Amino acid sequence: EPGNEAEMTLGKRCARLDARTAEGRAELVALLARADVLVHGYRRDALDGIGLGDAERARIRPGLVDVSLDAYGWTGPWSGRRGFDSLVQMSSGIAEEGMRRFGTAKPTPLPVQALDHAAGYVMAAAVLRGLCARRAGHGWRARTSLARIAALLAPTAGAGDRQGTLGKPETADYAEAHEATVWGPLSRLRPPATIAGTPLRWTRAASPLGSAPARW
């Protein structure tokens, strides 16, 4: 989503390649051969379709930490379906709860992409577990889905209810220095939480999608 580029690309290099072409696949294989971690969000059999299934990825990069996300899981009749956060909120019943909470006449997803956010934390934890396993001399593979995350979050309904609405950002909510980017100087919100001894930091400014070459 281009409107989110400046927010989501902080600290990242953003490259594009088409792995359905011989050239693009060769580039991807070369990158994979030197990767420590692969995180991907394709449908269950998408990588199999270009000859990069689970076994082949492990062969190309022994010891790879391989963490994957799809919409509706890895087994069952819906496992091959495409999907994203708001759709899974609809099909998992979260949007029905939203309809009741907001008093609307139709299913209403949450005002945030809670499944995406929670899946990100789960996958980050899986990567850390995988890197620990890699130190013991073997690879690691973990899978989750937006539907599974919805199943984990649904029982917590009501646990965090608060009255009122969020106010608009105030001056103190922004970092002191402006950030130089290709879009001009940006004011970035401070992180909502911090961990002692591990300040948020980055070495690359936000950049447009596809602006970097596909190489390490």
Side-chain angles (χ1 to χ4, degrees), residues 101 157-163:
R101 296 290 184 98
D161 284 356
R162 289 186 173 89
Q163 298 298 319

Side-chain angles (χ1 to χ4, degrees), residues 11-199:
K12 302 174 184 176
R13 296 172 65 243
C14 302
R16 283 195 177 105
L17 57 81
D18 186 351
R20 294 167 295 185
T21 67
E23 180 183 0
R25 187 185 184 283
E27 287 184 281
L28 179 56
V29 168
L31 290 168
L32 185 59
R34 297 178 56 201
D36 296 305
V37 176
L38 175 67
V39 177
H40 51 105
Y42 298 108
R43 286 178 296 121
R44 178 191 61 188
D45 57 353
L47 291 179
D48 297 77
I50 59 171
L52 291 175
D54 295 344
E56 180 64 6
R57 297 196 303 274
R59 185 196 67 78
I60 293 169
R61 184 54 162 124
L64 180 69
V65 176
D66 192 316
V67 180
S68 50
L69 171 76
D70 71 3
Y72 291 106
W74 305 89
T75 59
W78 281 33
S79 60
R81 288 196 178 197
R82 295 177 174 89
F84 52 88
D85 188 307
S86 298
L87 284 179
V88 179
Q89 286 192 41
M90 291 285 190
S91 55
S92 63
I94 291 176
E96 181 184 11
E97 177 68 17
M99 178 174 64
R100 288 195 289 267
R101 296 290 184 98
F102 296 110
T104 60
K106 60 183 180 180
T108 304
L110 297 171
V112 297
Q113 301 298 98
L115 305 185
D116 282 347
H117 298 169
Y121 284 112
V122 168
M123 295 171 80
V127 167
L128 296 178
R129 287 285 301 274
L131 290 172
C132 290
R134 195 166 184 255
R135 294 184 65 181
H138 54 82
W140 174 273
R141 189 174 71 198
R143 292 172 168 175
T144 190
S145 68
L146 295 177
R148 182 58 182 156
I149 297 297
L152 292 173
L153 293 181
T156 68
D161 284 356
R162 289 186 173 89
Q163 298 298 319
T165 57
L166 292 174
K168 294 182 179 180
E170 300 177 357
T171 302
D173 294 324
Y174 291 94
E176 293 180 6
H178 284 92
E179 184 178 319
T181 73
V182 296
W183 301 283
L186 299 181
S187 296
R188 189 169 296 279
L189 287 167
R190 297 178 186 273
T194 58
I195 301 174
T198 57

